[in-house]
Amino acid sequence: MTDKAKRFPLQLSSVVDKKPSADRSNRSVATPQTATKNAAWENSRNTPRSGAVPSAQPQKPAPAASKPMARPAESASHVERSNSMVSDGVRKAMVARVAKQGVTDAKVLAAMESVPRHMFMEPGLSSQAYIDASLPIGHHQTISQPYIVARMIEIMRDNQQGGVLNRVLEIGTGCGYQAAVLSLVAKEVYSIERIKPLHELARSNLRPLRIANIRLHYGDGMLGLPQVAPFDGIILAAAGLEVPQALLDQMTIGGRLVAPVGSRHQVLQLIQRTSKFDWTSTTLEDCHFVPLRAGTV
Ligand code: SAH
């Protein structure tokens, strides 16, 4: 569990531009993304700026030797501001692609635009944070592809209450990215991870964002969280052969659960609870997730 519950929902935009905390700067700023930095520097130098959305692929850095004396002395805050401008741009481009792929829920798209995805990557990969792909986060797990994160949340939000989600549960915190996006569309987010180092990674990734409405749990998500159930939305970020009954039992009536189901061939399934003893299931599109596993490590 994170510490005290304070404000709901958080103002992520207010933290994205902030200077990173000490431990964050160790992870992502002290290992500068040279390409990103160069792009920022080129942008700030080649005024007027084109206004075009930068491509998701960062520009290739110029060879260091080509203009060794050309750089102005950059203060840390200048670099930070420039990096933040570049990541804002590539994040907008990422969201535009997600929308082009068919996600229409404006609240979900706005949430995706607010969450600094690069802050959930290890420094060596953060220049790829905004491409539409799942990427490794260690322990044979991945951060989900932006499109599928948005799509699952959009499906979950399409409820009888006009998209209002009070309490949601995520199975498979991973690096914490999807939990951060969820925190902008739901009042309370609970997220469970079965791999201890990933649970801790998510905690440290989320800490500088100071998100008050996320509760992280270390445990087997197949059991859900009966102590805080019911949930009006549940998302599984890992694929099982079927959705565990414990999770179905922890849905509110009218609640919506979105899960990848299958092994080699997986499909996204939407399960709606229609009464105490009834659920309906709809099969949506094909998808590809890491496996849902029982127990903890
Ligand atoms: N939500 C993440 C995706 C993480 S990948 C994101 O934002 O990108 C899926 C995660 O599910 C992995 O970290 C894996 O360890 C976890 N997982 C698999 N089975 C689980 C279970 N039974 N309980 C909790 N987490 C589980």
Side-chain angles (χ1 to χ4, degrees), residues 141-144 170 172 178 193-195 198 220-221 237 293:
Q141 307 302 321
T142 53
I143 179 172
S144 304
E170 177 193 34
Q178 185 160 30
E193 173 55 56
R194 67 183 287 273
I195 300 177
L198 287 180
D220 180 358
R293 297 199 193 282

Side-chain angles (χ1 to χ4, degrees), residues 89-99 112 117 129-130 146 177:
V90 288
R91 193 154 61 246
K92 278 203 172 78
M94 175 193 85
V95 172
R97 282 196 309 276
V98 166
M112 298 283 288
R117 187 170 158 91
Y130 297 102
Y177 172 70

Side-chain angles (χ1 to χ4, degrees), residues 70-278:
R71 297 286 147 105
E74 294 174 83
S75 69
S77 69
H78 171 80
V79 171
E80 188 49 37
R81 215 170 30 248
S82 302
N83 281 346
S84 144
M85 274 162 51
V86 170
S87 64
D88 283 357
V90 288
R91 193 154 61 246
K92 278 203 172 78
M94 175 193 85
V95 172
R97 282 196 309 276
V98 166
K100 210 167 160 193
Q101 286 170 281
V103 174
T104 57
D105 186 325
K107 190 155 182 172
V108 175
L109 294 172
M112 298 283 288
E113 203 171 310
S114 296
V115 178
R117 187 170 158 91
H118 62 282
M119 289 176 70
F120 293 84
M121 308 280 186
E122 60 177 81
L125 281 176
S126 61
S127 65
Q128 295 178 57
Y130 297 102
I131 66 173
D132 196 32
S134 57
L135 292 165
I137 54 172
H139 305 272
H140 307 290
Q141 307 302 321
T142 53
I143 179 172
S144 304
Q145 175 199 8
Y147 164 75
I148 203 75
V149 168
R151 182 76 185 119
M152 289 175 98
I153 301 177
E154 173 178 69
I155 294 164
M156 184 175 72
R157 248 175 63 76
D158 191 15
N159 62 15
Q160 301 294 319
Q161 291 78 45
V164 173
L165 293 166
N166 289 309
R167 185 168 289 181
V168 304
L169 175 65
E170 177 193 34
I171 312 303
T173 316
C175 60
Y177 172 70
Q178 185 160 30
V181 179
L182 283 168
S183 76
L184 294 171
V185 304
K187 292 208 174 89
E188 295 172 30
V189 178
Y190 291 83
S191 184
I192 313 177
E193 173 55 56
R194 67 183 287 273
I195 300 177
K196 189 76 180 266
L198 287 180
H199 164 73
E200 281 158 4
L201 173 71
R203 207 181 264 304
S204 75
N205 285 343
L206 289 164
R207 190 173 297 122
L209 299 179
R210 305 171 79 84
I211 302 176
N213 60 336
I214 298 180
R215 306 284 179 272
L216 298 182
H217 286 258
Y218 167 60
D220 180 358
M222 290 170 83
L223 309 175
L225 276 181
Q227 65 274 33
V228 280
F231 300 95
D232 39 13
I234 300 182
I235 281 185
L236 280 83
L241 294 179
E242 56 184 20
V243 175
Q245 183 64 40
L247 298 180
L248 300 179
D249 291 338
Q250 291 174 34
M251 297 167 69
T252 56
I253 313 290
R256 295 162 75 83
L257 177 150
V258 187
V261 176
S263 55
R264 278 171 71 87
H265 176 235
Q266 300 172 8
V267 288
L268 215 50
Q269 235 172 49
L270 163 66
I271 296 178
Q272 292 168 269
R273 187 170 194 175
T274 52
S275 76
K276 191 158 194 267
F277 301 109
D278 296 292

